[in-house]
Amino acid sequence: MKILITGGAGFLGRRLARKLLELGSLALDGGAPQAITRIDLLDVVHADGLTDPRVRTLVGDIADPAVLQQAIGADTRAIFHLAAIVSGQAEADFDLGMRINLDASRALLETCRKLGHKPRVIFTSSVAVYGGALPETVRDDTALNPQSSYGTQKAIAELLLADYTRRGFVDGRALRLPTISVRPGRPNAAASSFASGIIREPLNGEAAVCPVGAGTRLWLLSPRAAIQALIAGCELPAEAVADRVPINLPGVSVTVAEMAQALREVAGDEAADRITWQADERVERIVGSWPGRWDTARAARLGLKGDRDFAEIIRAYMADDLPR
Amino acid sequence: MKILITGGAGFLGRRLARKLLELGSLALDGGAPQAITRIDLLDVVHADGLTDPRVRTLVGDIADPAVLQQAIGADTRAIFHLAAIVSGQAEADFDLGMRINLDASRALLETCRKLGHKPRVIFTSSVAVYGGALPETVRDDTALNPQSSYGTQKAIAELLLADYTRRGFVDGRALRLPTISVRPGRPNAAASSFASGIIREPLNGEAAVCPVGAGTRLWLLSPRAAIQALIAGCELPAEAVADRVPINLPGVSVTVAEMAQALREVAGDEAADRITWQADERVERIVGSWPGRWDTARAARLGLKGDRDFAEIIRAYMADDLPR
């Protein structure tokens, strides 16, 4: 089985590839596991650090149909479509967000449609599709009302994926990811970048600024659980999404103050005291429009799991990613 | 004030133009009414029957940015964007639906954004944005889950309009129209075409075939009330849609059997007996996915009105449109 990961040079893409290589197979239709014979990693930059002979890296612009035609063949059985312009950048550069988050997603679906082989497409959507006046607990059938261009573009890509799936052009699954925390590496242009930074930087002995109020509630998922959910989501049968293609993944609901307190408990005062607080109105507006909790009954029924609590998320980061 | 109507050669477009010409002015921002000095009617065919010197007809492809640049100027104060490929045709010709319902809507918004004058844009959306497992009464905040490409494309255009409005590129209002009945003229390629045909044809002495079961529930609005709602929607202040750009317009909830009975009461047995019943699975699948009723509390608060009952809708058709 051949698999494509878009955004394959990103941290989630590379981690997903490593996990798939480790598993060695996927069971797509309730049938026997099929061996993964190749993983293509497509991104604008070269995906480093993967030397397995099954891996091929492709460098190109995902919004360019010629690049997609090169990346997707009639033998591409599953596509994890992770490539995206993150929320803060899509808000700052409207055209870039539209080009990658919307046009490239559509071009990917069109490439599959033309090939006619109906591959499994796993699309990563986001908390950011929600917004406005929200119920305390968001459900899979709560109306989308995005308050950012990123959220709008993700919501549109979900709708396209659902229609392409309904028409039989692809076999799609949209997974709405909570905010991923703790991301390794450096801060990025996501409005939610701080949700990793306020844990990661203190654990690395560095200061971190929290740009939102201590009472801001977030809905979080660890990279480890996100990868598990992406793979489990890929293996879901078509019946699981016959009624509704997007699935809200489980998360942990915490305030920023509770995150700081968990850091204090897991790593001590010295680490926790490295967080300082300085409000950034731009970040607060975007992040504040996202739900802090959603009903995960459907995800649970489908066997999709999240983390137990935020302390577990910190410990997973320390085990998986903390530089030694 | 200069106004553009896309789909201006269609029956709603021409009727809207006539009503605007009769009114002579619009009050856009709670201020004094401003005189309507010109109405541009853009469509793929020439808009007939409007000889008022304030009217200019433009023939062109609305998905062509050059045509839009010609149609929209910095002095275009309000745009009624009615142009669309109807549901049955968008299902039969996927690319055509995408091109007109999605790409042209986006190109229209982009044309406005480049001009930078933030015109009022009134977009007509549809019951078809809903679908799947629905509550008995749909609300403005019920999740969209379209079961047709037409509904998908309308939902995407709503999302684009909301984001372009949030960013200040345009000043948008999306009005979700119930199925319009009774449309004058001939049947069209809309899956809901029968909702007019089973009244119009019998009143004109012709036979009509109803392609859905007698218990199928529809949500209907007369052309007369639709035009009133479009104009009232255009005059709504920005605060009315600050939370949520799409507004569900009021309608009348009736089964097809109740429609036939209303025809019998208003026009007699001879007319009602001209309806025959023959199920069409393609039509039942699309129309059956639409809600038969939605909560109209928000529309009522905003002063948007529908019809009293279906008998009134039939009488309005007989008064406005029945050939003498």
Side-chain angles (χ1 to χ4, degrees), chain A residues 18-253:
Chain A
R18 278 198 294 271
K19 187 70 185 178
L20 289 169
L21 292 167
E22 182 192 318
L23 290 171
S25 64
L26 281 179
L28 284 199
D29 295 296
Q34 293 174 267
I36 295 167
T37 51
R38 196 165 87 193
I39 299 180
D40 291 326
L41 299 175
L42 171 62
D43 213 316
V44 281
V45 295
H46 183 79
D48 291 329
L50 284 149
T51 54
D52 190 288
R54 290 168 291 178
V55 170
R56 185 178 69 150
T57 62
L58 302 165
V59 177
D61 174 2
I62 194 185
D64 178 351
V67 168
L68 287 166
Q69 277 158 35
Q70 199 198 331
I72 305 172
D75 56 346
T76 305
R77 185 68 188 83
I79 300 171
F80 291 89
H81 178 36
L82 313 182
I85 298 298
V86 296
S87 53
Q89 198 176 0
E91 199 62 20
D93 187 339
F94 179 73
D95 292 306
L96 180 64
M98 290 290 276
R99 194 172 124 71
I100 302 302
N101 297 342
L102 197 169
D103 294 331
S105 298
R106 181 171 168 192
L108 184 148
L109 294 170
E110 272 297 295
T111 303
C112 297
R113 176 187 168 208
K114 289 203 180 95
L115 283 167
H117 68 308
K118 205 176 163 179
R120 183 77 39 107
V121 176
I122 300 89
F123 172 66
T124 48
S125 187
S126 161
V127 284
V129 296
Y130 292 110
L134 284 172
E136 197 180 334
T137 300
V138 154
R139 300 166 15 134
D140 286 45
D141 64 353
T142 299
L144 307 189
N145 190 8
Q147 301 298 310
S148 65
S149 294
Y150 173 77
T152 300
Q153 292 147 11
K154 287 286 185 185
I156 290 173
E158 283 187 3
L159 282 163
L160 287 174
L161 182 70
D163 201 44
Y164 276 69
T165 298
R166 187 186 62 80
R167 295 191 77 119
F169 300 151
V170 301
D171 184 13
R173 314 280 183 273
L175 301 176
R176 291 194 189 124
L177 293 176
T179 295
I180 302 296
S181 170
V182 180
R183 287 179 174 267
R186 306 303 309 163
N188 68 8
S192 59
S193 180
F194 73 90
S196 293
I198 61 169
I199 305 301
R200 182 184 59 222
E201 270 67 288
L203 286 173
N204 291 338
E206 297 168 24
V209 176
C210 182
V212 300
T216 303
R217 185 167 287 280
L218 300 177
W219 181 243
L220 302 177
L221 187 68
S222 69
R224 192 193 279 188
I227 297 300
Q228 285 170 349
L230 283 172
I231 293 170
C234 176
E235 292 188 320
L236 283 178
E239 306 85 78
V241 291
D243 285 347
R244 195 176 291 278
V245 165
I247 302 169
N248 291 354
L249 290 185
V252 166
S253 180

Side-chain angles (χ1 to χ4, degrees), chain B residues 144-219:
Chain B
L144 307 191
N145 190 8
Q147 300 299 309
S148 65
S149 294
Y150 173 78
T152 300
Q153 293 147 10
K154 286 286 184 184
I156 291 173
E158 282 186 3
L159 283 162
L160 288 174
L161 181 70
D163 201 43
Y164 274 70
T165 297
R166 188 187 61 80
R167 294 191 78 119
F169 300 151
V170 300
D171 185 12
R173 315 280 183 274
L175 301 175
R176 291 197 189 121
L177 293 175
T179 295
I180 302 296
S181 172
V182 180
R183 285 180 176 267
R186 305 303 309 162
N188 69 8
S192 59
S193 180
F194 74 88
S196 293
I198 60 169
I199 305 302
R200 182 185 58 222
E201 270 68 288
L203 286 174
N204 291 337
E206 297 168 24
V209 176
C210 181
V212 300
T216 303
R217 185 167 286 280
L218 300 175
W219 181 242

